[in-house]
Amino acid sequence: MPHHKTALRVAAPVAVLALALTACGGGDSETDAKSSASPEVSASPSQAASGGELATGESATGKVAEDPGAVTYEVVAQKVEVGTEAEAAKAVADAADAKGKVLAVAHVKYTHKSGPALTEGSDVHDGTTIFADGQRGGVLIGASDDAPGCEGPYDVENWKQGESHVFCETYVIPANATSVEVHWSEEDGEPYVWKFPQK
Protein backbone atom coordinates (compact mmCIF):
# COMPACT_ATOMS: atom_id res chain seq x y z
CA MET A 1 0.00 0.00 0.00
CA PRO A 2 1.52 3.37 -0.90
CA HIS A 3 2.11 5.91 1.84
CA HIS A 4 -0.20 8.84 2.37
CA LYS A 5 1.24 12.36 2.23
CA THR A 6 -0.85 14.31 4.67
CA ALA A 7 -0.45 17.15 7.07
CA LEU A 8 0.65 15.63 10.35
CA ARG A 9 -0.56 17.10 13.61
CA VAL A 10 1.96 17.22 16.42
CA ALA A 11 0.79 16.60 20.00
CA ALA A 12 3.16 18.98 21.72
CA PRO A 13 4.64 22.19 20.35
CA VAL A 14 7.99 20.43 20.34
CA ALA A 15 8.15 16.68 20.73
CA VAL A 16 11.13 14.94 22.28
CA LEU A 17 13.59 13.52 19.77
CA ALA A 18 15.00 10.42 21.46
CA LEU A 19 17.77 9.72 18.96
CA ALA A 20 20.18 12.37 17.72
CA LEU A 21 19.22 13.33 14.19
CA THR A 22 22.85 13.40 13.18
CA ALA A 23 22.95 9.69 13.99
CA CYS A 24 19.65 8.92 12.32
CA GLY A 25 21.02 5.61 11.07
CA GLY A 26 21.30 4.79 14.74
CA GLY A 27 22.89 1.35 14.46
CA ASP A 28 21.41 -2.01 13.78
CA SER A 29 19.94 -2.72 17.19
CA GLU A 30 16.23 -2.15 17.39
CA THR A 31 16.52 -1.69 21.12
CA ASP A 32 18.80 1.39 21.06
CA ALA A 33 16.11 3.93 21.91
CA LYS A 34 13.65 1.67 23.66
CA SER A 35 15.84 -0.72 25.64
CA SER A 36 14.34 0.40 28.92
CA ALA A 37 10.79 0.10 27.59
CA SER A 38 10.99 -3.10 25.58
CA PRO A 39 8.13 -5.55 26.06
CA GLU A 40 8.85 -8.74 27.88
CA VAL A 41 7.94 -11.72 25.76
CA SER A 42 7.56 -15.36 26.60
CA ALA A 43 7.79 -17.68 23.62
CA SER A 44 6.28 -21.12 23.56
CA PRO A 45 8.84 -23.87 22.81
CA SER A 46 6.57 -25.24 20.09
CA GLN A 47 6.26 -21.84 18.44
CA ALA A 48 8.27 -21.23 15.26
CA ALA A 49 10.89 -18.48 15.27
CA SER A 50 9.32 -15.10 14.74
CA GLY A 51 10.05 -12.53 12.10
CA GLY A 52 10.15 -12.02 8.38
CA GLU A 53 8.72 -9.81 5.68
CA LEU A 54 4.93 -9.57 5.52
CA ALA A 55 2.66 -8.46 2.71
CA THR A 56 0.47 -5.37 3.00
CA GLY A 57 -2.43 -6.21 5.28
CA GLU A 58 -0.82 -9.43 6.53
CA SER A 59 -0.64 -9.79 10.31
CA ALA A 60 1.91 -11.16 12.76
CA THR A 61 1.15 -12.88 16.05
CA GLY A 62 3.24 -12.67 19.20
CA LYS A 63 3.13 -12.68 22.99
CA VAL A 64 3.95 -9.77 25.25
CA ALA A 65 4.34 -9.98 29.03
CA GLU A 66 1.81 -7.45 30.28
CA ASP A 67 0.55 -6.64 33.74
CA PRO A 68 -1.31 -8.87 34.84
CA GLY A 69 0.01 -11.62 32.49
CA ALA A 70 1.13 -12.67 29.00
CA VAL A 71 -1.12 -11.54 26.16
CA THR A 72 -1.09 -12.84 22.60
CA TYR A 73 -1.58 -10.11 20.02
CA GLU A 74 -2.27 -9.99 16.31
CA VAL A 75 -0.30 -7.05 14.85
CA VAL A 76 -0.58 -5.36 11.46
CA ALA A 77 1.01 -2.15 10.17
CA GLN A 78 -1.86 -0.39 8.39
CA LYS A 79 -0.12 2.61 6.82
CA VAL A 80 2.67 5.15 7.11
CA GLU A 81 1.95 8.84 6.73
CA VAL A 82 4.95 10.85 5.57
CA GLY A 83 4.99 14.59 6.20
CA THR A 84 7.07 17.49 4.94
CA GLU A 85 10.40 19.01 5.95
CA ALA A 86 8.53 22.07 7.24
CA GLU A 87 6.45 19.90 9.59
CA ALA A 88 9.57 18.15 10.85
CA ALA A 89 11.26 21.51 11.52
CA LYS A 90 8.27 22.62 13.62
CA ALA A 91 8.23 19.36 15.58
CA VAL A 92 11.78 19.49 16.95
CA ALA A 93 13.47 21.96 19.30
CA ASP A 94 16.12 23.04 16.78
CA ALA A 95 14.82 23.32 13.21
CA ALA A 96 18.38 22.82 11.89
CA ASP A 97 18.26 19.26 13.26
CA ALA A 98 15.42 18.48 10.87
CA LYS A 99 17.11 19.71 7.70
CA GLY A 100 16.56 17.10 4.97
CA LYS A 101 14.26 15.11 7.26
CA VAL A 102 10.52 14.39 7.37
CA LEU A 103 8.16 12.84 9.90
CA ALA A 104 6.89 9.30 9.30
CA VAL A 105 3.90 8.17 11.36
CA ALA A 106 3.16 4.44 11.38
CA HIS A 107 -0.39 3.37 12.23
CA VAL A 108 -0.26 -0.12 13.74
CA LYS A 109 -3.33 -2.12 14.73
CA TYR A 110 -3.04 -4.47 17.72
CA THR A 111 -5.75 -7.06 18.47
CA HIS A 112 -5.91 -8.80 21.85
CA LYS A 113 -6.22 -12.50 20.89
CA SER A 114 -5.77 -14.31 24.23
CA GLY A 115 -4.71 -13.69 27.79
CA PRO A 116 -6.01 -11.56 30.66
CA ALA A 117 -7.86 -8.28 30.15
CA LEU A 118 -5.63 -5.22 30.50
CA THR A 119 -6.71 -2.50 32.88
CA GLU A 120 -3.72 -0.13 32.94
CA GLY A 121 -2.48 0.31 29.36
CA SER A 122 -0.25 -1.90 27.25
CA ASP A 123 3.41 -2.34 26.28
CA VAL A 124 2.76 -4.06 22.94
CA HIS A 125 3.77 -0.94 20.96
CA ASP A 126 7.27 -0.95 22.51
CA GLY A 127 8.39 -3.49 19.90
CA THR A 128 7.56 -1.13 16.98
CA THR A 129 10.16 0.89 15.06
CA ILE A 130 10.41 2.64 11.68
CA PHE A 131 13.28 2.19 9.22
CA ALA A 132 13.97 4.15 6.04
CA ASP A 133 16.12 2.60 3.31
CA GLY A 134 17.41 0.03 5.79
CA GLN A 135 18.40 2.53 8.50
CA ARG A 136 16.49 3.08 11.72
CA GLY A 137 14.89 6.52 11.98
CA GLY A 138 15.00 8.81 15.00
CA VAL A 139 12.03 8.28 17.32
CA LEU A 140 10.00 11.40 18.11
CA ILE A 141 8.32 10.77 21.45
CA GLY A 142 4.86 12.23 21.96
CA ALA A 143 4.41 13.46 18.40
CA SER A 144 1.47 11.26 17.39
CA ASP A 145 -0.46 10.99 20.64
CA ASP A 146 -3.41 12.97 19.29
CA ALA A 147 -3.01 12.33 15.56
CA PRO A 148 -6.25 11.33 13.81
CA GLY A 149 -6.89 7.60 14.15
CA CYS A 150 -4.24 7.12 16.86
CA GLU A 151 -4.85 6.10 20.45
CA GLY A 152 -2.54 6.39 23.45
CA PRO A 153 -1.39 2.93 24.60
CA TYR A 154 -1.51 3.96 28.24
CA ASP A 155 -4.97 5.51 27.90
CA VAL A 156 -6.63 2.23 26.93
CA GLU A 157 -8.49 0.74 29.87
CA ASN A 158 -10.21 -2.63 30.14
CA TRP A 159 -8.74 -4.09 26.92
CA LYS A 160 -10.40 -7.47 26.47
CA GLN A 161 -9.97 -10.41 24.14
CA GLY A 162 -11.15 -9.67 20.60
CA GLU A 163 -10.76 -5.89 20.91
CA SER A 164 -8.39 -3.88 18.69
CA HIS A 165 -6.63 -0.55 19.10
CA VAL A 166 -4.46 1.53 16.75
CA PHE A 167 -1.28 3.01 18.23
CA CYS A 168 1.03 5.24 16.23
CA GLU A 169 4.78 5.71 16.25
CA THR A 170 6.45 8.85 14.87
CA TYR A 171 10.00 8.78 13.56
CA VAL A 172 12.19 11.28 11.73
CA ILE A 173 13.56 9.87 8.47
CA PRO A 174 15.50 11.24 5.47
CA ALA A 175 13.25 13.21 3.10
CA ASN A 176 14.62 11.32 0.09
CA ALA A 177 13.95 7.79 1.44
CA THR A 178 12.67 5.41 -1.21
CA SER A 179 11.31 2.78 1.17
CA VAL A 180 9.85 3.00 4.67
CA GLU A 181 9.55 -0.13 6.79
CA VAL A 182 7.55 -0.74 9.95
CA HIS A 183 9.16 -3.34 12.21
CA TRP A 184 7.49 -5.09 15.15
CA SER A 185 9.12 -7.79 17.20
CA GLU A 186 8.80 -9.76 20.35
CA GLU A 187 11.68 -9.37 22.80
CA ASP A 188 14.64 -11.44 21.57
CA GLY A 189 12.69 -12.25 18.40
CA GLU A 190 13.38 -11.35 14.81
CA PRO A 191 11.29 -8.43 13.53
CA TYR A 192 8.25 -8.74 11.33
CA VAL A 193 8.61 -6.18 8.53
CA TRP A 194 6.00 -4.34 6.46
CA LYS A 195 7.39 -2.29 3.54
CA PHE A 196 5.83 0.92 2.26
CA PRO A 197 7.54 2.10 -0.97
CA GLN A 198 7.87 5.87 -1.39
CA LYS A 199 7.35 7.84 -4.60
Side-chain angles (χ1 to χ4, degrees), residues 4 22 29 75 173:
H4 300 278
T22 56
S29 172
V75 180
I173 63 170

Side-chain angles (χ1 to χ4, degrees), residues 93-165:
D94 185 351
D97 288 342
K99 184 171 180 158
K101 308 280 195 274
V102 294
L103 301 181
V105 179
H107 293 245
V108 184
K109 180 180 176 183
Y110 304 93
T111 303
H112 187 309
K113 299 302 282 183
S114 66
L118 304 178
T119 57
E120 296 182 9
S122 171
D123 291 327
V124 67
H125 70 289
D126 287 344
T128 304
T129 53
I130 298 177
F131 280 65
D133 293 338
Q135 298 292 316
R136 182 184 170 135
V139 64
L140 201 59
I141 298 171
S144 59
D145 290 348
D146 71 346
C150 301
E151 301 174 74
Y154 301 112
D155 296 335
V156 175
E157 296 178 1
N158 200 22
W159 190 355
K160 299 175 185 170
Q161 247 179 30
E163 295 177 349
S164 299
H165 294 282

Side-chain angles (χ1 to χ4, degrees), residues 24-190:
C24 208
D28 295 319
S29 172
E30 289 209 16
T31 58
D32 288 351
K34 297 184 178 187
S35 59
S36 63
S38 293
E40 295 177 24
V41 178
S42 53
S44 162
S46 62
Q47 198 172 25
S50 68
E53 192 171 322
L54 299 173
T56 301
E58 190 175 2
S59 63
T61 302
K63 276 188 182 177
V64 176
E66 300 275 20
D67 184 14
V71 174
T72 299
Y73 292 96
E74 183 179 86
V75 180
V76 63
Q78 296 179 315
K79 64 182 177 178
V80 176
E81 294 179 336
V82 178
T84 66
E85 289 185 52
E87 289 167 334
K90 289 179 186 175
V92 299
D94 185 351
D97 288 342
K99 184 171 180 158
K101 308 280 195 274
V102 294
L103 301 181
V105 179
H107 293 245
V108 184
K109 180 180 176 183
Y110 304 93
T111 303
H112 187 309
K113 299 302 282 183
S114 66
L118 304 178
T119 57
E120 296 182 9
S122 171
D123 291 327
V124 67
H125 70 289
D126 287 344
T128 304
T129 53
I130 298 177
F131 280 65
D133 293 338
Q135 298 292 316
R136 182 184 170 135
V139 64
L140 201 59
I141 298 171
S144 59
D145 290 348
D146 71 346
C150 301
E151 301 174 74
Y154 301 112
D155 296 335
V156 175
E157 296 178 1
N158 200 22
W159 190 355
K160 299 175 185 170
Q161 247 179 30
E163 295 177 349
S164 299
H165 294 282
V166 175
F167 303 142
C168 297
E169 297 289 331
T170 301
Y171 278 67
V172 179
I173 63 170
N176 62 354
T178 59
S179 177
V180 177
E181 298 176 354
V182 177
H183 292 206
W184 180 83
S185 62
E186 301 174 300
E187 187 175 300
D188 299 326
E190 291 299 313

